[in-house]
Amino acid sequence: MGKVTGFMEFERLEEGYKPVTERLKHYKEFVVGLDDAQANKQAARCMDCGTPFCNNGCPVNNIIPDFNDLVYTNNWKAAIDTLHSTNNFPEFTGRICPAPCEAACTLNVNDDAVGIKSIEHAIIDRAWSEGWVKPQPAKVKTGKKVAVVGSGPAGMAAAQQLARAGHDVTLFEKNDRIGGLLRYGIPDFKMEKSHIDRRAEQMVAEGVTIRTSVLVGEMPKGSKVTNWAKETISADQLKKDFDAVLLTGGSEQSRDLPVPGRDLDGIHFAMEFLPQQNKVNAGDKLKGQLRADGKHVIVIGGGDTGSDCVGTSNRHGAVSVTQFEVMPQPPEEENRPMTWPYWPLKLRTSSSHEEGCERVFSISTKEFIGEKGKVTGLKTVQVEFKDGKLVDVPGTEKVLKADLVLLAMGFVNPVATILDVFGVDKDARGNAKASTEFIGGYATNVPKVFAAGDMRRGQSLVVWAIREGRQAARSVDEFLMGFSDLPR
């Protein structure tokens, strides 16, 4: 464990941020991570509980007390080996995971949780700087060929695991660069894309073939999903050319708001807005980029994607940014005895909110209004729960000015055609139907076709995607070889 009395001696130390006035001028990361001494003290707070709830709070089951102790004893090389044993990409999770492990930390019962995420961040950054992250190519090749369709965190994790098991893996991506929503959904100021690029280099060195701008199947007509594919390949061709196919395309169909005026110009899905800025940051030239300069922006949706729209709009130079949430404002502090060790409902204020944003709760949009075909405002009403349903509050109707409206209300299901062209059964929510049983897990109804990540479980966290990618890789390996040494 860390220091026996560390949790009594040391306070939780949060990672810092660069000043708002400075960070709004660019799209670079602005988090100031813990230095070695600070990480050492934070790790000293870990109690190595008899039942470490943090392990189960973490979807990839990181061995948290162990790497905390290794950081406390300055054994950083062993710490990254321990972290990598359960998590292929801790630089992703150390930056953008909401840290359910910390909610489950035993200290969080009546004190501040151990800063597990900040320690993870420190470990992987130290590992890259020391040159400890190296390719791990398979010593023996199996001769089996696997296609992984979709290069988000689930696809990347699965491809890497399968390549290390000795299979010839081809990773297909419809967009021009790999990473999925990590690449084109997460703003660069939260995670710079160099982290994806160097992992891609590692995967190629391990034997993964990466094919970008290749669409498997076809996009639905009128789809708003980002797609820069230059080549198309059929599902039948993949099944013919490969011994197994793993679908990890994510949940990309945005939830819409079908109220009067929805067809006005100036109303866009978040995933029309965010990817464009990331492409510009990468050096691409776009015509007619969606921008918030000089505009009154309203973001509908109170989650992380909405927060990302807020931060990007402020960097564009929006006149005002307002974020709507239909649900009531959560309490500022959770009821720990009632919620621990589970993820609590409480008010969460992101760094983007702190940069400038009005947050409005219990509000519903009834109509978009406009002039000459362009949105100029929204008709809204306050809502409240009655008899388990949200109902309008009489007399609370308002009209709010808006030049740009961004819909960030989550994602409902995968792009339907990818499942249709393979003939994969869907569950009630339109996701790929595949169980997670130990034997035959992640297998669909179609022979040798598997599914994992958001495409299977629905919209979720990056850490859940990595878990599903790793577990699906083991199932594919078992299917091909009759057994697997890959970890679940």
Side-chain angles (χ1 to χ4, degrees):
M1 62 183 296
K3 189 175 183 182
V4 174
T5 56
F7 70 97
M8 295 187 290
E9 296 178 31
F10 305 119
E11 299 292 327
R12 176 184 170 96
L13 178 64
E14 299 282 355
E15 293 180 316
Y17 294 150
K18 292 180 181 178
V20 170
T21 53
E22 176 185 334
R23 69 194 196 224
L24 281 179
K25 297 176 181 178
H26 59 75
Y27 293 89
K28 300 291 185 181
E29 292 179 12
F30 53 81
V31 171
V32 180
L34 305 184
D35 61 29
D36 290 359
Q38 292 169 332
N40 178 281
K41 278 189 176 181
Q42 190 60 215
R45 300 181 68 233
C46 179
M47 299 184 290
D48 193 17
C49 315
T51 302
F53 290 89
C54 57
N55 286 15
N56 285 333
C58 171
V60 292
N61 302 125
N62 278 336
I63 314 170
I64 294 165
D66 290 37
F67 69 62
N68 281 342
D69 179 65
L70 291 165
V71 169
Y72 173 64
T73 58
N74 290 309
N75 194 344
W76 291 83
K77 178 63 169 63
I80 187 56
D81 291 341
T82 301
L83 184 50
H84 267 151
S85 71
T86 56
N87 186 351
N88 294 64
F89 313 118
E91 63 268 48
F92 301 168
T93 53
R95 284 169 168 79
I96 61 174
C97 179
C101 55
E102 294 186 14
C105 174
T106 301
L107 263 181
N108 197 47
V109 172
N110 61 355
D111 199 351
D112 293 328
V114 174
I116 300 166
K117 178 180 173 180
S118 62
I119 295 170
E120 179 179 11
H121 188 177
I123 293 171
I124 185 58
D125 282 7
R126 172 76 179 269
W128 278 110
S129 67
E130 296 283 355
W132 294 334
V133 184
K134 299 181 182 297
Q136 301 176 37
K139 294 179 180 179
V140 178
K141 302 291 284 186
T142 65
K144 301 290 186 179
K145 297 170 65 178
V146 183
V148 179
V149 182
S151 70
M156 289 180 68
Q160 184 166 66
Q161 292 294 96
L162 288 164
R164 290 175 176 179
H167 305 304
D168 292 321
V169 181
T170 302
L171 182 60
F172 292 91
E173 170 57 53
K174 70 178 182 300
N175 293 324
D176 53 354
R177 299 175 178 91
I178 73 165
L181 288 184
L182 290 176
R183 173 76 66 178
Y184 286 126
I186 303 295
D188 288 12
F189 55 80
K190 287 178 65 176
M191 193 188 84
E192 293 175 19
K193 305 312 176 245
S194 57
H195 304 298
I196 303 174
D197 295 337
R198 60 186 178 185
R199 283 296 183 180
E201 292 175 6
Q202 180 192 33
M203 291 165 62
V204 169
E206 293 170 343
V208 176
T209 299
I210 296 176
R211 294 185 60 186
T212 56
S213 299
V214 178
L215 176 65
V216 176
E218 60 184 19
M219 294 294 293
K221 291 182 179 180
S223 173
K224 298 292 187 179
V225 172
T226 304
N227 171 31
W228 290 291
K230 298 178 180 178
E231 180 184 349
T232 301
I233 188 170
S234 70
D236 289 341
Q237 191 66 47
L238 280 192
K239 290 188 285 186
K240 177 182 176 182
D241 292 345
F242 293 89
D243 299 297
V245 178
L246 174 58
L247 305 178
T248 56
S251 180
E252 296 184 279
Q253 198 65 53
S254 299
R255 181 175 282 107
D256 208 343
L257 186 58
V259 299
R262 172 63 179 88
D263 58 345
L264 290 168
D265 287 344
I267 304 169
H268 301 274
F269 290 119
M271 290 308 298
E272 295 176 76
F273 177 69
L274 296 173
Q276 292 188 5
Q277 185 58 55
N278 285 6
K279 284 186 70 67
V280 171
N281 294 345
D284 296 351
K285 293 184 179 180
L286 295 182
K287 291 183 179 179
Q289 180 193 356
L290 288 175
R291 292 191 59 88
D293 314 57
K295 296 178 180 177
H296 295 278
V297 180
I298 290 184
V299 179
I300 301 180
D304 289 340
T305 303
S307 172
D308 294 341
C309 290
V310 169
T312 302
S313 296
N314 279 324
R315 281 161 179 75
H316 282 185
V319 173
S320 68
V321 183
T322 305
Q323 186 177 23
F324 285 3
E325 171 55 61
V326 71
M327 301 300 288
Q329 179 172 327
E332 292 191 10
E333 287 291 333
E334 72 270 35
N335 186 335
R336 297 188 187 189
M338 289 288 290
T339 60
W340 182 87
Y342 301 107
W343 185 248
L345 177 67
K346 67 176 182 179
L347 182 65
R348 302 176 193 278
T349 300
S350 72
S351 57
S352 291
H353 293 141
E354 294 170 349
E355 293 165 359
C357 173
E358 180 183 358
R359 303 169 73 182
V360 184
F361 294 87
S362 298
I363 188 169
S364 176
T365 301
K366 307 301 289 185
E367 181 181 351
F368 297 111
I369 57 177
E371 296 177 3
K372 299 180 180 179
K374 294 185 178 181
V375 68
T376 59
L378 293 79
K379 290 184 179 179
T380 68
V381 65
Q382 293 295 124
V383 293
E384 63 181 359
F385 273 105
K386 276 192 177 180
D387 299 324
K389 294 181 179 180
L390 279 174
V391 297
D392 297 350
V393 178
T396 61
E397 296 82 2
K398 288 184 179 179
V399 175
L400 299 180
K401 181 176 178 57
D403 306 305
L404 176 63
V405 178
L406 300 172
L407 306 181
M409 301 175 292
F411 304 89
V412 292
N413 49 250
V415 177
T417 54
I418 184 66
L419 301 180
D420 294 339
V421 295
F422 279 95
V424 171
D425 287 346
K426 303 172 192 174
D427 64 16
R429 297 182 298 162
N431 300 317
K433 191 174 183 179
S435 73
T436 57
E437 298 296 328
F438 282 97
I439 299 176
Y442 298 92
T444 70
N445 61 297
V446 181
K448 76 177 186 181
V449 176
F450 296 75
D454 287 6
M455 176 169 277
R456 189 204 70 82
R457 68 176 288 115
Q459 176 191 356
S460 191
L461 306 175
V462 60
V463 69
W464 272 107
I466 294 172
R467 172 195 173 104
E468 294 225 342
R470 287 171 61 89
Q471 291 189 341
R474 179 182 171 91
S475 290
V476 172
D477 189 34
E478 286 178 332
F479 166 74
L480 295 173
M481 307 303 294
F483 70 96
S484 180
D485 290 328
L486 291 175
R488 279 186 61 88

